[in-house]
Amino acid sequence: MAAPYEFEFTDPKPWEETGKTLPAYPQDADLLPLDIRAPGSSFKFFIDSKSLLVTDDNIVSYTLVISSDSGAKNVVREGLRCGFDEYKLYAYGNSDGSFQATKEAGWKSIPNRGFNTYQKDLLDYMCDSNMLPLQPKQILNRIRYPQTISQPRR
């Protein structure tokens, strides 16, 4: 009589995010304007072209500069998970030209209303039609030539 089969099951390693190192603070010369569809908003959005990073775990990280008509600027370091429509805030920019990392915040769903809806537009720039992240060069081309986005997600 043959011995019964024995299997050794191991739990897969839990998903762990990579690429959380903060980049250099953005320089004005490296900022590219984004066409963000925010009706009634007077904010202007810029991506730091030097800060784009796509990691092996399919996260697109970027530094975003948001400026108001009065000249006030907010700088944030964020990440997007294309297929999940989620974002994560990694750091805020300080007035001294440095980043202040946030406490370990979790991934959040991108809202359909409110200020953070700009992230829905970022998905159009940063993700392909299969909801996989594009490479930085492709993202920069979409930002420079927004007509290359075939169908916005909205």
Side-chain angles (χ1 to χ4, degrees):
M1 177 172 207
Y5 292 104
E6 290 186 30
F7 295 100
E8 187 175 316
F9 292 99
T10 56
D11 288 331
K13 182 180 175 186
W15 178 74
E16 189 173 313
E17 185 179 352
T18 61
K20 295 192 286 187
T21 305
L22 294 175
Y25 203 79
Q27 302 297 309
D28 288 344
D30 299 324
L31 298 180
L32 296 175
L34 292 162
D35 182 19
I36 299 295
R37 298 177 297 269
S41 172
S42 62
F43 293 108
K44 294 179 182 146
F45 296 82
F46 302 88
I47 198 97
D48 175 16
S49 62
K50 304 279 185 186
S51 73
L52 281 170
L53 176 68
V54 178
T55 56
D56 291 339
D57 51 5
N58 289 329
I59 292 173
V60 182
S61 300
Y62 53 90
T63 301
L64 190 70
V65 176
I66 306 165
S67 66
S68 71
D69 288 342
S70 67
K73 286 185 181 180
N74 286 320
V75 178
V76 293
R77 179 72 179 169
E78 295 180 329
L80 287 179
R81 291 179 72 195
C82 292
F84 296 91
D85 285 8
E86 293 178 330
Y87 77 99
K88 187 174 187 177
L89 177 65
Y90 296 113
Y92 293 101
N94 293 319
S95 60
D96 66 359
S98 66
F99 281 110
Q100 175 66 45
T102 59
K103 294 188 179 183
E104 190 60 36
W107 288 93
K108 296 179 182 175
S109 293
I110 297 172
N112 289 320
R113 293 186 307 196
F115 182 72
N116 284 356
T117 57
Y118 69 83
Q119 293 153 337
K120 291 256 187 222
D121 287 334
L122 293 178
L123 289 171
D124 292 338
Y125 285 111
M126 298 182 181
C127 307
D128 69 12
S129 60
N130 295 317
M131 296 303 10
L132 294 172
L134 296 166
Q135 291 306 305
K137 185 176 180 179
Q138 295 169 301
I139 294 168
L140 291 173
N141 280 337
R142 282 187 171 194
I143 291 169
R144 288 183 179 113
Y145 313 106
Q147 69 274 13
T148 60
I149 300 174
S150 56
Q151 287 197 323
R153 297 165 40 94
R154 288 190 195 202

